Amino acid sequence: YIVSMRWYSSFIAAMAGWLGIIFSGATPEISRQIIVLTILFIGWGINQVINDYLGLSEDRHNAPKRPMVAGRLNIRFALTSSIILILIGLIFTYILNTQAIIFYLFIFALNLIYERAKRIPLLGNIFFGLLIAPCVHYASMCVSQKTFLDTLLDSRLATLAILVWLINFVLCFFSDFKDY
């Protein structure tokens, strides 16, 4: 399961969250920051596992050595672990800022949309880029206690989210070609 989470790229989501924390206007305790960044770090990994499950047929061709495709990772275990981790993240998000749940669930929903959208050139890149952009808003909300609307309309956070989206959009070109 841990190999399927592809930790090496989890830093992307955590870095986007870190930007949200820095530009939130708050001075949160270190423990709160660590919790938020851990949720984002693990959340990215969960999305990778779910993406592997949803893309099993294409990964048999493109990434046959991935644990789920190769049969080294039990699908039921992977999905159950993912659901448990999502629920744990949901509970912590609820404790940090109940309105941040909107962004939390939105990021996982984008992963499901991305899995279908990546079959259409360029559309998949757009949604892949969008997977990380809400991490900026999510982290900011969790550390600042701002409302959903205040966070969404914050021009600094919106600018950061757009920049993160563009960077991730371009990054997708380098990882997406193998899926064709």
Side-chain angles (χ1 to χ4, degrees), residues 9-110:
S9 50
S10 290
F11 290 100
I12 298 168
M15 292 304 294
W18 189 59
L19 289 171
I21 291 170
I22 291 170
F23 288 91
S24 69
T27 51
E29 322 73 61
I30 288 291
S31 59
R32 190 178 200 92
Q33 293 179 49
I34 290 170
I35 291 168
V36 171
L37 296 176
T38 300
I39 290 170
L40 290 171
F41 190 84
I42 292 172
W44 173 270
I46 294 167
N47 265 341
Q48 295 302 309
V49 172
I50 292 170
N51 186 273
D52 282 356
Y53 170 71
L54 295 173
L56 272 173
S57 60
E58 66 197 33
D59 284 347
R60 282 188 180 97
H61 203 56
N62 301 325
K65 294 183 180 183
R66 286 195 179 149
M68 198 177 299
V69 176
R72 293 188 317 271
L73 175 60
N74 179 283
I75 292 173
R76 175 175 247 158
F77 172 81
L79 295 177
T80 302
S81 298
S82 296
I83 290 168
I84 290 169
L85 289 171
I86 288 170
L87 291 174
I88 291 169
L90 193 62
I91 291 166
F92 275 99
T93 300
Y94 179 82
I95 293 167
L96 293 167
N97 184 337
T98 55
Q99 291 188 26
I101 290 172
I102 297 167
F103 283 113
Y104 182 80
L105 295 175
F106 181 63
I107 294 166
F108 287 109
L110 282 173

Side-chain angles (χ1 to χ4, degrees), residues 76-156:
R76 175 175 247 158
F77 172 81
L79 295 177
T80 302
S81 298
S82 296
I83 290 168
I84 290 169
L85 289 171
I86 288 170
L87 291 174
I88 291 169
L90 193 62
I91 291 166
F92 275 99
T93 300
Y94 179 82
I95 293 167
L96 293 167
N97 184 337
T98 55
Q99 291 188 26
I101 290 172
I102 297 167
F103 283 113
Y104 182 80
L105 295 175
F106 181 63
I107 294 166
F108 287 109
L110 282 173
N111 187 45
L112 299 175
I113 295 169
Y114 164 69
E115 178 55 37
R116 300 298 172 224
K118 72 181 182 181
R119 291 168 175 76
I120 302 168
L122 195 59
L123 187 61
N125 298 73
I126 291 168
F127 278 100
F128 186 81
L130 286 174
L131 276 168
I132 303 299
C135 295
V136 172
H137 291 93
Y138 170 80
S140 177
M141 281 186 77
C142 287
V143 300
S144 70
Q145 297 302 308
K146 289 183 183 177
T147 65
F148 176 78
L149 200 53
D150 286 340
T151 304
L152 194 61
L153 297 177
D154 184 315
S155 61
R156 293 172 303 152

